[in-house]
Amino acid sequence: MKIPLCLPALLLGLLMPPSARAATFFYAQPYRDRTGNPFWQGVLDGTMYLEDFEDRQLNTPYVTGFGGATYQTKSTPNVDGDDGRVDGRGQGFTWNSFALGAGRENIRFDFSPNADGLLPKYAGAVLFGFVSAEVGLDLYQPILVYDATGNEITGGKWQVQVPKLVDGVSERMADRFAAIYNEHGISRIVFPGTHVVDHLTYGYAIPEPSSGALLLGALGAALNRRRRGRA
């Protein structure tokens, strides 16, 4: 089954509160390795940071993680290419709330200003999980993003739809990258109810994107939610 890398949804700005309409959203699916990251050229240029947790630490600068720790089990997903092979296995380390045992919190990353006093303008991560296409169930993963003053800029309305896969398709095809740009800076990103994230990516500038590599100013999940509300 072929899953498109991006989906046009140009009406998202109408569905978000005014504080979010200046934001830009990025989405890539399937996410197989770091070269599929919409910010990869920025990582190469040194204007973006990518933390893959493969050294079992969160040690990229200007960020602190909460609600999880680096973790690896055979039953938890990981970005496919982190073991050096894109083969559908996806073995490696992630930021995972299961590492904390009982009383799990929401996964959260707080950003501090860099040496120039700037907060990152871009932030995102890889999400995992899927639902069977045969079930017909619509599930969504919320993401909360806060600006430099501590305000949640999307009004709690940024939700990424969990992909649907048919039987026989590798679950790695549902791995997806979701991120946001806010010109006034990002102080925090939270993944409520999400127990595993990988490839935390954040920073300050990216080159002009190539067509088809990312989803700009729109999220298919928001449009699907709007259609569902009209039913």
Side-chain angles (χ1 to χ4, degrees), residues 7-49:
L7 301 171
L10 300 179
L11 296 179
L12 182 66
L14 301 179
L15 305 177
M16 290 292 186
S19 60
R21 291 179 187 172
T24 300
F25 297 86
F26 299 79
Y27 184 85
Q29 179 201 345
Y31 186 100
R32 309 303 300 277
D33 64 18
R34 58 178 53 207
T35 63
N37 193 307
F39 304 149
W40 178 236
Q41 188 58 50
V43 175
L44 295 177
D45 291 348
T47 60
M48 300 289 295
Y49 296 104

Side-chain angles (χ1 to χ4, degrees), residues 31-34 50-60 69-73 76-85 89-96 126 128 196-200:
Y31 186 100
R32 309 303 300 277
D33 64 18
R34 58 178 53 207
L50 191 155
E51 175 59 85
D52 63 11
F53 310 108
E54 292 305 313
D55 62 357
R56 308 186 189 188
Q57 299 183 66
L58 169 54
N59 53 13
T60 47
T70 56
Y71 194 60
Q72 179 188 41
T73 72
T76 54
N78 184 80
V79 169
D80 193 354
D82 276 358
D83 59 2
R85 300 181 300 276
R89 296 181 181 273
Q91 295 297 310
F93 287 83
T94 60
W95 189 263
N96 196 313
V126 173
F128 301 97
V196 186
V197 301
D198 204 354
H199 282 212
L200 173 69

Side-chain angles (χ1 to χ4, degrees), residues 85-189:
R85 300 181 300 276
V86 178
D87 56 8
R89 296 181 181 273
Q91 295 297 310
F93 287 83
T94 60
W95 189 263
N96 196 313
S97 67
F98 290 108
L100 302 182
R104 295 186 297 271
E105 304 176 29
N106 292 329
I107 287 178
R108 168 184 131 212
F109 297 99
D110 287 0
F111 302 103
S112 57
N114 66 7
D116 295 321
L118 301 175
L119 286 169
K121 295 183 177 182
Y122 301 82
V126 173
L127 305 173
F128 301 97
F130 69 97
V131 294
S132 171
E134 296 179 358
V135 174
L137 181 65
D138 291 333
L139 296 179
Y140 299 86
Q141 292 172 297
I143 306 175
L144 306 176
V145 180
Y146 297 80
D147 65 14
T149 62
N151 293 317
E152 204 287 300
I153 66 173
T154 70
K157 294 183 179 180
W158 184 17
Q159 299 191 79
V160 178
Q161 185 169 18
V162 177
K164 299 178 182 180
L165 299 183
V166 299
D167 290 345
V169 174
S170 169
E171 64 184 80
R172 298 280 67 81
M173 295 298 289
D175 297 351
R176 55 210 173 273
F177 180 86
I180 191 171
Y181 165 83
N182 179 43
E183 63 178 328
H184 301 298
I186 298 169
S187 64
R188 175 177 295 173
I189 187 168

